[in-house]
Amino acid sequence: MTNKLLVVDDEEGIREVLEITLTDAGYEVLTAENGFSGLDMVKTHNPDIVLTDIRMPGMDGMALLKTVKQTYPDIEVIMITGYGDANLAIDSLKIGAVDFISKPVNQDVLEIALKRANDRIRTREKLADHTRNLEILVAEKTRKLAESEKRYVQLFNESPAYITILDENFRIVESNNRFKDQFGDHPDMYCFQVQQQRKTPCDTCPVNETFADGHSHTAEMDVTLRDGRVRRFFIQTSAIPDDSGRIRHVMEMRTDITVIHQLQDHLAALGLHISSISHGIKGMLTGLDGGDYLIRAGLEKNDFQRISKGWDIIREKIAMIRQMVLNILYHSKDRTPDMQPESVFDFIQELVTTMDPRIRKAGIELILDTPKPSTDF
């Protein structure tokens, strides 16, 4: 489990509840009352996960998310949304948030979001470990090339990564079998031409950075294979110095992480779908409460008309819940959407029927004034 988590929310009560819940779950919890304080805590304590409200005075959650992902891309951010923030929540996923949860915070939903964040962190750590191990292995075998060229060639060609050796002009001077299978093996091939279909080197090229400072660099980018498929690759570079210490070549290793990105997208879409279903069920429960109120009031006053009206509402909501479950089962398989028109007047009447009992109980008179439905459609 991730050890350190930062909660950023301008409501003290929410911060306290989340701190207690997350501490009990085994996290080291930090809190901040606004975006600016949260950013300072990120710089000072470097948490693994940030849980932030979207709407806050000063620096809001979206601004905090952008700043954190630009400066600390490995920190996972979960957004806390309020009613009406669905569009902002979706936008937050596009700029790097791992998930979002709605207020009031449900503990089960929170656990799912935290599990998703921890899974992503562990996946990245495993990928980094794999890449580091591969780099060490290839570098060690390269160093022993003079002793056993045959063993080096075998290791180089059988590596599961796409490996190339590039000169200062980004020309591919050597590549392993996996690379040749996907990109070909022609003389005077340049990496930016073969993999990016560009005429000039990429603007942010880790190979160029390694030639400049001699250090290993990483990047992620989309690569077009020879068969036209576009795949997402994790790239890591290593310098290959000559006997004098000058870097004349750089080794580039590419690992296909397309499946990981697709899985992350599917998980994010699943979270959005679950949130939408939860909102729908919440509305139906409100309707059931209204029907229950009418039945109880009718029983107290021996008003069978009120009891009948309340029972009609309950049957209607039960039918809606049944239909929702059937829709979920129906759409669990790939099908073409069945688009049908709906009457806005029926929707208004349903809303009034649901809310009227509670409004009357509070001593408020509800007056409905809508134009008559047009028959010209």
Side-chain angles (χ1 to χ4, degrees), residues 177-231:
N177 288 341
R178 188 173 181 84
F179 182 91
K180 293 173 183 176
D181 290 341
Q182 289 294 345
F183 299 101
D185 183 22
H186 305 290
D188 295 326
M189 293 173 58
Y190 293 85
C191 64
F192 53 85
Q193 292 176 334
V194 174
Q195 300 175 87
Q196 307 295 133
Q197 286 73 54
R198 295 172 56 98
K199 295 182 179 180
T200 58
C202 304
D203 296 331
T204 57
C205 178
V207 174
N208 193 40
E209 294 176 350
T210 299
F211 271 118
D213 59 21
H215 298 300
S216 176
H217 291 274
T218 61
E220 287 188 22
M221 65 176 61
D222 291 332
V223 173
T224 303
L225 303 183
R226 186 165 57 175
D227 58 11
R229 290 181 299 152
V230 177
R231 308 291 289 180

Short mmCIF file of all heavy atoms in Angstrom, two decimals, residues 177-231:
data_model
loop_
_atom_site.label_atom_id
_atom_site.label_comp_id
_atom_site.label_asym_id
_atom_site.label_seq_id
_atom_site.Cartn_x
_atom_site.Cartn_y
_atom_site.Cartn_z
N ASN A 177 16.56 -8.05 -33.36
CA ASN A 177 15.61 -8.73 -34.24
C ASN A 177 14.18 -8.23 -34.06
O ASN A 177 13.42 -8.14 -35.03
CB ASN A 177 15.66 -10.25 -34.01
CG ASN A 177 16.94 -10.86 -34.55
OD1 ASN A 177 17.62 -10.28 -35.39
ND2 ASN A 177 17.29 -12.04 -34.04
N ARG A 178 13.81 -7.94 -32.82
CA ARG A 178 12.44 -7.48 -32.57
C ARG A 178 12.18 -6.16 -33.28
O ARG A 178 11.09 -5.95 -33.85
CB ARG A 178 12.21 -7.33 -31.06
CG ARG A 178 10.76 -7.05 -30.69
CD ARG A 178 10.58 -7.08 -29.19
NE ARG A 178 9.21 -6.84 -28.80
CZ ARG A 178 8.25 -7.75 -28.75
NH1 ARG A 178 8.55 -8.99 -29.08
NH2 ARG A 178 7.02 -7.45 -28.37
N PHE A 179 13.16 -5.26 -33.26
CA PHE A 179 13.02 -3.99 -33.95
C PHE A 179 12.93 -4.20 -35.47
O PHE A 179 12.09 -3.61 -36.15
CB PHE A 179 14.19 -3.07 -33.60
CG PHE A 179 14.10 -1.71 -34.23
CD1 PHE A 179 13.48 -0.66 -33.57
CD2 PHE A 179 14.64 -1.47 -35.50
CE1 PHE A 179 13.39 0.60 -34.15
CE2 PHE A 179 14.56 -0.23 -36.08
CZ PHE A 179 13.92 0.82 -35.41
N LYS A 180 13.80 -5.05 -35.99
CA LYS A 180 13.81 -5.29 -37.43
C LYS A 180 12.50 -5.90 -37.91
O LYS A 180 12.03 -5.59 -39.01
CB LYS A 180 14.98 -6.21 -37.78
CG LYS A 180 16.35 -5.57 -37.56
CD LYS A 180 17.47 -6.59 -37.76
CE LYS A 180 18.83 -5.95 -37.47
NZ LYS A 180 19.94 -6.93 -37.55
N ASP A 181 11.90 -6.77 -37.09
CA ASP A 181 10.64 -7.39 -37.48
C ASP A 181 9.54 -6.36 -37.67
O ASP A 181 8.67 -6.53 -38.53
CB ASP A 181 10.20 -8.42 -36.43
CG ASP A 181 11.09 -9.65 -36.42
OD1 ASP A 181 11.79 -9.88 -37.42
OD2 ASP A 181 11.09 -10.38 -35.40
N GLN A 182 9.55 -5.31 -36.87
CA GLN A 182 8.48 -4.32 -36.93
C GLN A 182 8.79 -3.11 -37.80
O GLN A 182 7.87 -2.49 -38.35
CB GLN A 182 8.15 -3.84 -35.51
CG GLN A 182 7.45 -4.86 -34.64
CD GLN A 182 6.05 -5.20 -35.14
OE1 GLN A 182 5.49 -4.50 -35.97
NE2 GLN A 182 5.49 -6.29 -34.63
N PHE A 183 10.07 -2.75 -37.93
CA PHE A 183 10.42 -1.51 -38.62
C PHE A 183 11.32 -1.72 -39.85
O PHE A 183 11.63 -0.76 -40.56
CB PHE A 183 11.12 -0.54 -37.66
CG PHE A 183 10.25 -0.15 -36.49
CD1 PHE A 183 10.42 -0.75 -35.24
CD2 PHE A 183 9.26 0.80 -36.64
CE1 PHE A 183 9.63 -0.39 -34.17
CE2 PHE A 183 8.45 1.16 -35.56
CZ PHE A 183 8.64 0.56 -34.32
N GLY A 184 11.76 -2.93 -40.08
CA GLY A 184 12.62 -3.19 -41.22
C GLY A 184 14.09 -3.04 -40.90
O GLY A 184 14.48 -2.65 -39.79
N ASP A 185 14.93 -3.32 -41.90
CA ASP A 185 16.39 -3.28 -41.72
C ASP A 185 17.04 -2.74 -42.99
O ASP A 185 17.60 -3.49 -43.77
CB ASP A 185 16.91 -4.68 -41.37
CG ASP A 185 18.41 -4.69 -41.09
OD1 ASP A 185 18.94 -3.62 -40.75
OD2 ASP A 185 19.01 -5.77 -41.24
N HIS A 186 16.90 -1.44 -43.20
CA HIS A 186 17.45 -0.80 -44.39
C HIS A 186 18.61 0.11 -44.01
O HIS A 186 18.62 0.68 -42.90
CB HIS A 186 16.37 0.01 -45.12
CG HIS A 186 15.15 -0.79 -45.46
ND1 HIS A 186 15.15 -1.77 -46.42
CD2 HIS A 186 13.90 -0.76 -44.95
CE1 HIS A 186 13.95 -2.31 -46.50
NE2 HIS A 186 13.17 -1.71 -45.61
N PRO A 187 19.59 0.27 -44.86
CA PRO A 187 20.71 1.17 -44.54
C PRO A 187 20.25 2.62 -44.48
O PRO A 187 19.28 3.02 -45.12
CB PRO A 187 21.68 0.93 -45.70
CG PRO A 187 20.82 0.43 -46.83
CD PRO A 187 19.74 -0.37 -46.18
N ASP A 188 20.97 3.42 -43.69
CA ASP A 188 20.69 4.86 -43.54
C ASP A 188 19.28 5.12 -43.03
O ASP A 188 18.60 6.06 -43.46
CB ASP A 188 20.91 5.58 -44.88
CG ASP A 188 22.37 5.54 -45.31
OD1 ASP A 188 23.24 5.59 -44.42
OD2 ASP A 188 22.62 5.46 -46.52
N MET A 189 18.82 4.28 -42.11
CA MET A 189 17.53 4.53 -41.46
C MET A 189 17.74 5.47 -40.27
O MET A 189 18.70 5.33 -39.52
CB MET A 189 16.91 3.21 -40.96
CG MET A 189 16.50 2.27 -42.06
SD MET A 189 15.96 0.64 -41.42
CE MET A 189 14.63 1.12 -40.34
N TYR A 190 16.85 6.44 -40.11
CA TYR A 190 16.89 7.37 -38.99
C TYR A 190 15.67 7.11 -38.10
O TYR A 190 14.57 6.88 -38.60
CB TYR A 190 16.91 8.81 -39.48
CG TYR A 190 18.17 9.17 -40.22
CD1 TYR A 190 18.31 8.90 -41.58
CD2 TYR A 190 19.25 9.76 -39.57
CE1 TYR A 190 19.47 9.20 -42.27
CE2 TYR A 190 20.42 10.08 -40.24
CZ TYR A 190 20.53 9.79 -41.60
OH TYR A 190 21.69 10.09 -42.26
N CYS A 191 15.89 7.18 -36.79
CA CYS A 191 14.82 6.78 -35.86
C CYS A 191 13.57 7.64 -36.04
O CYS A 191 12.45 7.13 -35.99
CB CYS A 191 15.33 6.85 -34.42
SG CYS A 191 15.78 8.50 -33.85
N PHE A 192 13.73 8.95 -36.25
CA PHE A 192 12.55 9.82 -36.37
C PHE A 192 11.79 9.57 -37.67
O PHE A 192 10.59 9.80 -37.74
CB PHE A 192 12.95 11.29 -36.25
CG PHE A 192 14.05 11.72 -37.19
CD1 PHE A 192 13.78 12.12 -38.49
CD2 PHE A 192 15.38 11.74 -36.75
CE1 PHE A 192 14.79 12.52 -39.34
CE2 PHE A 192 16.40 12.15 -37.62
CZ PHE A 192 16.11 12.53 -38.91
N GLN A 193 12.49 9.08 -38.70
CA GLN A 193 11.80 8.75 -39.95
C GLN A 193 11.06 7.43 -39.82
O GLN A 193 9.92 7.29 -40.27
CB GLN A 193 12.82 8.65 -41.09
CG GLN A 193 13.47 9.97 -41.48
CD GLN A 193 14.53 9.78 -42.55
OE1 GLN A 193 15.11 8.70 -42.67
NE2 GLN A 193 14.80 10.83 -43.32
N VAL A 194 11.70 6.46 -39.22
CA VAL A 194 11.15 5.12 -39.15
C VAL A 194 9.97 5.04 -38.19
O VAL A 194 8.92 4.45 -38.50
CB VAL A 194 12.23 4.10 -38.74
CG1 VAL A 194 11.63 2.72 -38.53
CG2 VAL A 194 13.33 4.07 -39.78
N GLN A 195 10.10 5.66 -37.02
CA GLN A 195 9.11 5.46 -35.97
C GLN A 195 8.10 6.60 -35.86
O GLN A 195 7.02 6.41 -35.31
CB GLN A 195 9.82 5.28 -34.62
CG GLN A 195 10.76 4.07 -34.63
CD GLN A 195 11.56 3.94 -33.36
OE1 GLN A 195 11.10 3.34 -32.39
NE2 GLN A 195 12.75 4.52 -33.33
N GLN A 196 8.45 7.78 -36.33
CA GLN A 196 7.55 8.93 -36.20
C GLN A 196 7.13 9.52 -37.53
O GLN A 196 6.33 10.46 -37.56
CB GLN A 196 8.22 10.04 -35.37
CG GLN A 196 8.75 9.60 -34.01
CD GLN A 196 7.65 9.17 -33.06
OE1 GLN A 196 7.75 8.15 -32.43
NE2 GLN A 196 6.59 9.94 -32.98
N GLN A 197 7.67 9.03 -38.62
CA GLN A 197 7.39 9.57 -39.95
C GLN A 197 7.66 11.07 -40.02
O GLN A 197 6.90 11.84 -40.59
CB GLN A 197 5.95 9.28 -40.38
CG GLN A 197 5.70 7.83 -40.78
CD GLN A 197 5.66 6.89 -39.59
OE1 GLN A 197 4.90 7.12 -38.66
NE2 GLN A 197 6.49 5.86 -39.61
N ARG A 198 8.75 11.48 -39.40
CA ARG A 198 9.14 12.89 -39.40
C ARG A 198 10.34 13.10 -40.32
O ARG A 198 11.09 12.16 -40.60
CB ARG A 198 9.51 13.35 -37.98
CG ARG A 198 8.35 13.35 -36.99
CD ARG A 198 8.86 13.63 -35.59
NE ARG A 198 9.60 14.89 -35.50
CZ ARG A 198 9.07 16.04 -35.08
NH1 ARG A 198 7.80 16.09 -34.71
NH2 ARG A 198 9.80 17.13 -35.02
N LYS A 199 10.55 14.35 -40.71
CA LYS A 199 11.72 14.70 -41.50
C LYS A 199 12.82 15.28 -40.64
O LYS A 199 13.97 15.43 -41.11
CB LYS A 199 11.32 15.71 -42.59
CG LYS A 199 10.35 15.15 -43.62
CD LYS A 199 10.03 16.17 -44.70
CE LYS A 199 9.07 15.59 -45.74
NZ LYS A 199 8.74 16.59 -46.79
N THR A 200 12.50 15.62 -39.41
CA THR A 200 13.48 16.18 -38.47
C THR A 200 13.35 15.45 -37.14
O THR A 200 12.30 14.85 -36.85
CB THR A 200 13.26 17.69 -38.27
OG1 THR A 200 11.92 17.90 -37.78
CG2 THR A 200 13.45 18.46 -39.58
N PRO A 201 14.39 15.51 -36.29
CA PRO A 201 14.32 14.84 -34.98
C PRO A 201 13.17 15.40 -34.14
O PRO A 201 12.73 16.53 -34.32
CB PRO A 201 15.68 15.14 -34.35
CG PRO A 201 16.58 15.39 -35.51
CD PRO A 201 15.74 16.06 -36.56
N CYS A 202 12.69 14.59 -33.21
CA CYS A 202 11.61 15.00 -32.32
C CYS A 202 12.06 16.15 -31.43
O CYS A 202 13.23 16.26 -31.06
CB CYS A 202 11.15 13.83 -31.45
SG CYS A 202 10.66 12.37 -32.40
N ASP A 203 11.10 17.00 -31.05
CA ASP A 203 11.43 18.17 -30.23
C ASP A 203 11.95 17.77 -28.85
O ASP A 203 12.88 18.38 -28.33
CB ASP A 203 10.18 19.06 -30.09
CG ASP A 203 9.72 19.63 -31.42
OD1 ASP A 203 10.58 19.82 -32.30
OD2 ASP A 203 8.51 19.86 -31.58
N THR A 204 11.35 16.80 -28.25
CA THR A 204 11.79 16.31 -26.93
C THR A 204 12.33 14.90 -27.11
O THR A 204 11.61 13.92 -26.93
CB THR A 204 10.63 16.33 -25.93
OG1 THR A 204 9.56 15.54 -26.46
CG2 THR A 204 10.13 17.75 -25.68
N CYS A 205 13.59 14.82 -27.44
CA CYS A 205 14.20 13.53 -27.77
C CYS A 205 15.12 13.08 -26.64
O CYS A 205 16.12 13.75 -26.34
CB CYS A 205 14.99 13.66 -29.08
SG CYS A 205 15.83 12.12 -29.54
N PRO A 206 14.82 11.94 -25.98
CA PRO A 206 15.69 11.47 -24.91
C PRO A 206 17.07 11.07 -25.41
O PRO A 206 18.05 11.14 -24.66
CB PRO A 206 14.93 10.26 -24.34
CG PRO A 206 14.04 9.81 -25.44
CD PRO A 206 13.66 11.06 -26.19
N VAL A 207 17.18 10.65 -26.69
CA VAL A 207 18.49 10.31 -27.25
C VAL A 207 19.38 11.55 -27.29
O VAL A 207 20.56 11.51 -26.92
CB VAL A 207 18.33 9.70 -28.66
CG1 VAL A 207 19.70 9.49 -29.31
CG2 VAL A 207 17.56 8.39 -28.59
N ASN A 208 18.82 12.65 -27.75
CA ASN A 208 19.58 13.90 -27.82
C ASN A 208 20.02 14.35 -26.43
O ASN A 208 21.15 14.84 -26.24
CB ASN A 208 18.71 14.98 -28.48
CG ASN A 208 19.52 16.21 -28.86
OD1 ASN A 208 20.65 16.10 -29.34
ND2 ASN A 208 18.94 17.37 -28.65
N GLU A 209 19.15 14.17 -25.43
CA GLU A 209 19.50 14.55 -24.06
C GLU A 209 20.64 13.69 -23.52
O GLU A 209 21.52 14.18 -22.81
CB GLU A 209 18.26 14.42 -23.16
CG GLU A 209 17.15 15.42 -23.50
CD GLU A 209 15.91 15.21 -22.66
OE1 GLU A 209 15.84 14.17 -21.96
OE2 GLU A 209 15.01 16.07 -22.71
N THR A 210 20.65 12.40 -23.86
CA THR A 210 21.73 11.52 -23.41
C THR A 210 23.06 11.89 -24.07
O THR A 210 24.10 11.86 -23.42
CB THR A 210 21.37 10.05 -23.69
OG1 THR A 210 20.18 9.72 -22.97
CG2 THR A 210 22.49 9.12 -23.26
N PHE A 211 23.03 12.24 -25.35
CA PHE A 211 24.25 12.72 -26.00
C PHE A 211 24.77 13.98 -25.32
O PHE A 211 25.98 14.19 -25.22
CB PHE A 211 23.98 13.01 -27.48
CG PHE A 211 24.18 11.83 -28.39
CD1 PHE A 211 23.12 11.32 -29.13
CD2 PHE A 211 25.42 11.22 -28.51
CE1 PHE A 211 23.29 10.24 -29.97
CE2 PHE A 211 25.61 10.13 -29.35
CZ PHE A 211 24.54 9.63 -30.08
N ALA A 212 23.85 14.81 -24.81
CA ALA A 212 24.24 16.10 -24.22
C ALA A 212 24.84 15.93 -22.83
O ALA A 212 25.84 16.59 -22.50
CB ALA A 212 23.04 17.04 -24.17
N ASP A 213 24.26 15.06 -21.99
CA ASP A 213 24.74 14.99 -20.60
C ASP A 213 25.26 13.62 -20.18
O ASP A 213 25.78 13.46 -19.07
CB ASP A 213 23.63 15.42 -19.63
CG ASP A 213 22.37 14.56 -19.72
OD1 ASP A 213 22.45 13.43 -20.21
OD2 ASP A 213 21.31 15.04 -19.30
N GLY A 214 25.11 12.61 -21.02
CA GLY A 214 25.62 11.29 -20.70
C GLY A 214 24.75 10.48 -19.76
O GLY A 214 25.11 9.35 -19.41
N HIS A 215 23.62 11.03 -19.34
CA HIS A 215 22.74 10.33 -18.40
C HIS A 215 21.62 9.60 -19.15
O HIS A 215 21.30 9.91 -20.30
CB HIS A 215 22.13 11.31 -17.40
CG HIS A 215 23.13 12.00 -16.55
ND1 HIS A 215 23.99 11.34 -15.71
CD2 HIS A 215 23.42 13.33 -16.40
CE1 HIS A 215 24.77 12.19 -15.07
NE2 HIS A 215 24.45 13.42 -15.49
N SER A 216 21.02 8.65 -18.43
CA SER A 216 19.87 7.94 -18.98
C SER A 216 18.64 8.84 -18.89
O SER A 216 18.42 9.53 -17.89
CB SER A 216 19.64 6.65 -18.21
OG SER A 216 18.48 5.98 -18.67
N HIS A 217 17.81 8.81 -19.94
CA HIS A 217 16.58 9.60 -19.96
C HIS A 217 15.42 8.71 -20.40
O HIS A 217 15.62 7.70 -21.07
CB HIS A 217 16.71 10.79 -20.91
CG HIS A 217 17.68 11.83 -20.42
ND1 HIS A 217 17.31 12.84 -19.56
CD2 HIS A 217 19.01 12.00 -20.66
CE1 HIS A 217 18.36 13.60 -19.30
NE2 HIS A 217 19.41 13.11 -19.95
N THR A 218 14.20 9.12 -19.98
CA THR A 218 13.01 8.35 -20.32
C THR A 218 11.96 9.25 -20.97
O THR A 218 11.99 10.47 -20.80
CB THR A 218 12.39 7.69 -19.08
OG1 THR A 218 12.00 8.72 -18.16
CG2 THR A 218 13.37 6.75 -18.41
N ALA A 219 11.05 8.63 -21.69
CA ALA A 219 9.95 9.36 -22.32
C ALA A 219 8.88 8.36 -22.73
O ALA A 219 9.13 7.15 -22.78
CB ALA A 219 10.43 10.15 -23.55
N GLU A 220 7.68 8.87 -22.98
CA GLU A 220 6.60 8.08 -23.55
C GLU A 220 6.14 8.75 -24.83
O GLU A 220 6.00 9.97 -24.87
CB GLU A 220 5.42 7.96 -22.59
CG GLU A 220 5.67 7.04 -21.40
CD GLU A 220 4.40 6.82 -20.58
OE1 GLU A 220 3.29 7.01 -21.16
OE2 GLU A 220 4.52 6.48 -19.41
N MET A 221 5.89 7.98 -25.88
CA MET A 221 5.40 8.55 -27.12
C MET A 221 4.71 7.48 -27.96
O MET A 221 4.91 6.28 -27.76
CB MET A 221 6.54 9.20 -27.92
CG MET A 221 7.61 8.25 -28.43
SD MET A 221 8.85 9.09 -29.45
CE MET A 221 9.54 10.28 -28.31
N ASP A 222 3.87 7.96 -28.88
CA ASP A 222 3.22 7.05 -29.81
C ASP A 222 4.15 6.74 -30.98
O ASP A 222 4.82 7.63 -31.50
CB ASP A 222 1.93 7.68 -30.35
CG ASP A 222 0.86 7.80 -29.28
OD1 ASP A 222 0.88 6.98 -28.36
OD2 ASP A 222 0.02 8.70 -29.38
N VAL A 223 4.19 5.48 -31.38
CA VAL A 223 5.07 5.02 -32.46
C VAL A 223 4.23 4.26 -33.48
O VAL A 223 3.37 3.45 -33.11
CB VAL A 223 6.19 4.11 -31.92
CG1 VAL A 223 6.99 3.49 -33.06
CG2 VAL A 223 7.12 4.91 -31.01
N THR A 224 4.46 4.53 -34.75
CA THR A 224 3.74 3.84 -35.82
C THR A 224 4.57 2.66 -36.31
O THR A 224 5.70 2.84 -36.77
CB THR A 224 3.46 4.80 -36.99
OG1 THR A 224 2.72 5.93 -36.51
CG2 THR A 224 2.66 4.10 -38.07
N LEU A 225 4.01 1.46 -36.21
CA LEU A 225 4.71 0.26 -36.68
C LEU A 225 4.62 0.15 -38.20
O LEU A 225 3.88 0.88 -38.86
CB LEU A 225 4.10 -0.98 -36.03
CG LEU A 225 4.08 -1.02 -34.49
CD1 LEU A 225 3.52 -2.34 -34.00
CD2 LEU A 225 5.45 -0.74 -33.90
N ARG A 226 5.37 -0.77 -38.75
CA ARG A 226 5.43 -0.93 -40.20
C ARG A 226 4.08 -1.30 -40.79
O ARG A 226 3.76 -0.93 -41.92
CB ARG A 226 6.48 -1.98 -40.57
CG ARG A 226 6.71 -2.12 -42.08
CD ARG A 226 7.97 -2.89 -42.39
NE ARG A 226 8.00 -4.22 -41.79
CZ ARG A 226 8.97 -5.11 -42.01
NH1 ARG A 226 9.99 -4.78 -42.78
NH2 ARG A 226 8.94 -6.30 -41.43
N ASP A 227 3.23 -2.00 -40.00
CA ASP A 227 1.92 -2.39 -40.51
C ASP A 227 0.86 -1.31 -40.32
O ASP A 227 -0.31 -1.54 -40.56
CB ASP A 227 1.46 -3.69 -39.83
CG ASP A 227 1.40 -3.57 -38.31
OD1 ASP A 227 1.51 -2.43 -37.80
OD2 ASP A 227 1.23 -4.60 -37.64
N GLY A 228 1.29 -0.13 -39.85
CA GLY A 228 0.36 0.99 -39.71
C GLY A 228 -0.24 1.15 -38.33
O GLY A 228 -0.87 2.17 -38.04
N ARG A 229 -0.08 0.18 -37.45
CA ARG A 229 -0.62 0.29 -36.10
C ARG A 229 0.15 1.33 -35.29
O ARG A 229 1.36 1.44 -35.41
CB ARG A 229 -0.57 -1.04 -35.38
CG ARG A 229 -1.54 -2.09 -35.92
CD ARG A 229 -1.43 -3.37 -35.10
NE ARG A 229 -0.07 -3.93 -35.19
CZ ARG A 229 0.49 -4.66 -34.23
NH1 ARG A 229 -0.16 -4.89 -33.10
NH2 ARG A 229 1.70 -5.16 -34.39
N VAL A 230 -0.58 2.08 -34.47
CA VAL A 230 0.04 3.07 -33.59
C VAL A 230 0.06 2.48 -32.18
O VAL A 230 -0.97 2.08 -31.64
CB VAL A 230 -0.73 4.41 -33.61
CG1 VAL A 230 -0.10 5.39 -32.63
CG2 VAL A 230 -0.73 4.98 -35.02
N ARG A 231 1.24 2.42 -31.58
CA ARG A 231 1.40 1.85 -30.24
C ARG A 231 2.05 2.87 -29.32
O ARG A 231 2.80 3.74 -29.76
CB ARG A 231 2.27 0.58 -30.30
CG ARG A 231 1.83 -0.46 -31.32
CD ARG A 231 0.54 -1.11 -30.92
NE ARG A 231 0.71 -2.00 -29.76
CZ ARG A 231 -0.28 -2.68 -29.21
NH1 ARG A 231 -1.51 -2.55 -29.69
NH2 ARG A 231 -0.06 -3.47 -28.18
#
